[in-house]
Amino acid sequence: MKNISGNIIGLKADQIRRLENLYRRRIPGEYLITPDLARDIVHLSFEMGRQVGVLVNRSGKVVCVIAGDAQKIVIPDLPDYRTLPGRLKGLRCIHTHLKNEPLTQDDLTDLSLLRLDMMAAMTMTDNGGLREVHAAHLLPKGTAETPCRILAPLGPDQLDTGCLSAIQALEDELAGMQALYKGKPGQERAILVSVSTAPRQAAEDSLAELRELAVSGGIHVVDSVLQRQKPDSRFLMGSGKLQELNLMALRGGITLLIFDQELNPSQIRSLTDQVELKVIDRSQLILDIFAQRAQTREGKLQVELAQLKYLLPRLVTKNTAMSRLTGGIGGRGPGETKLEINRRRVRERIKRLEKSLEDVVKQRRQQKARRSKKALPVISIIGYTNAGKSTLLNTLTQSSVLAENRLFATLDPASRRLRFPRETEVIITDTVGFIRDLPKDLMVAFRATLEELHSADLLLHVVDISNPRHAEQIASVERILSELELDQIRMIRVLNKKDLVEAEEIPVLAKLLDGIAVCAGDRASLLPLIDRMEAEILEICTLADSGFWTGAEKFSDMPGETDTETRYS
């Protein structure tokens, strides 16, 4: 016999047996609930002085019996009934109310957030008989104010409502609405969410950047929601807005919610308990994009380390092996042991990855030592992601590094050799792009890559001046440089994409930002930049009196660099 969900403490053995016997009952498809079963549940609830509920699937089988208290029942998690995009849960909840009240707001909230087929409440007479059944279902085209349709109260002889056909009609309508949204089959469909007290323009800009990140990660963005209020410590947003989100997700076949703000472990648990969707935040999205882009062994190690460090504090009880057990009563024993095993394995893997990355750091130091013997100056290209760094490297050195118009298109650093007109040779490197609120775990994991910037003699800060947010992007990059203690290295601002800016604005921006305007894909537009780069390098050589090597010696033995020479004359 299946177990009773909820609180059975204090119940008599006969009452528990009668609750268990409810699992044997079946409900025909045309009935919301049969009159006999409704009377038996109401009578048992009246006798116990507690609410009693059943969850019924579309075959008419009772899959869960719930014993509550005088005020409520708690619907448990049922892993076998996961909600698919654009579909209802496949379960209807029918429970008792001890007082003569209709469906409560809590009932309607559960109906909405859990995407139940229907929610019904049975009221009782003074002597424990069945009075009425109040029922409601979701409206596919409902609004935040009216997400549900509450049916007229049903008497004991009015329960043959054509329940199954009504539910099927609802799902057919949902499927028709979902077909209106475009997207590739199997592609994640997301709603972007931001809850902030920042000025509206700043919040909208941040949400726009989150959209670019999502698209770069291969996600189809269906809609976005901006709520300007102080973030709630539990759900980040209000319960009403959460219901609205869930309805939007149901109508649009949404599989994913992406929050612009970083979620702490308890917020992720609370949200996933309320809505049966995948929930991630900005940091997790960036980590996922990096995981997609990593090609070299070093890049893969760095990304995996960052992901595990992000995961460790969030590796709590939201685990399929443990269902929804929590610590304390019901959470000890094998469940707790399984959780600790998972945590220990993550910690052990983190240690192995850190050891591997230490070896990478040693290799880089050896490369740096060999480079120092050849006395080659190093120019590093930095900048906000998708500013045009890889395109600039390709044009300067006639290379073919991957360059695409999307955020974080390239992840692994690339180095090439460049010879200036005065026979001065340098190594020019392309680095991973920066972004606002770069996850700290990612910064730590990419320490080996970012340390390469410390060996740079000159930085080229590429700025996309066609982006209306270029001032904020410059501030974000230079703040990260300051945190990495790189702000003492000489830097040239390269104002890229001048072809996308009005001609009269270019000299104004060049003066305001103290930079050189170029079009990274146009070789001719780079000549002023090349002259400035060579002048800076020669001045650095003179000041340091380091006798930089300017011959034609190959250095193809240096890992990460090519023996292809690009000469400007």
Side-chain angles (χ1 to χ4, degrees), residues 77 82 269 272-273 314 316-320 323-325:
D77 180 40
R82 291 297 180 194
R269 286 200 305 275
T272 50
D273 281 344
R314 293 162 175 80
V316 287
T317 55
K318 188 69 175 176
N319 185 308
T320 54
S323 185
R324 290 186 177 227
L325 291 178

Side-chain angles (χ1 to χ4, degrees), residues 324-364:
R324 290 186 177 227
L325 291 178
T326 56
I329 301 298
R332 298 189 177 93
E336 188 177 39
T337 302
K338 175 67 175 177
L339 181 61
E340 287 305 317
I341 289 172
N342 291 342
R343 286 174 173 160
R344 185 169 64 252
R345 285 175 177 169
V346 169
R347 292 191 191 101
E348 290 171 352
R349 180 61 179 164
I350 287 174
K351 289 180 181 178
R352 289 197 297 271
L353 290 172
E354 288 176 338
K355 178 66 171 61
S356 298
L357 286 175
E358 286 176 6
D359 295 338
V360 170
V361 172
K362 291 178 183 177
Q363 289 177 350
R364 288 190 176 275

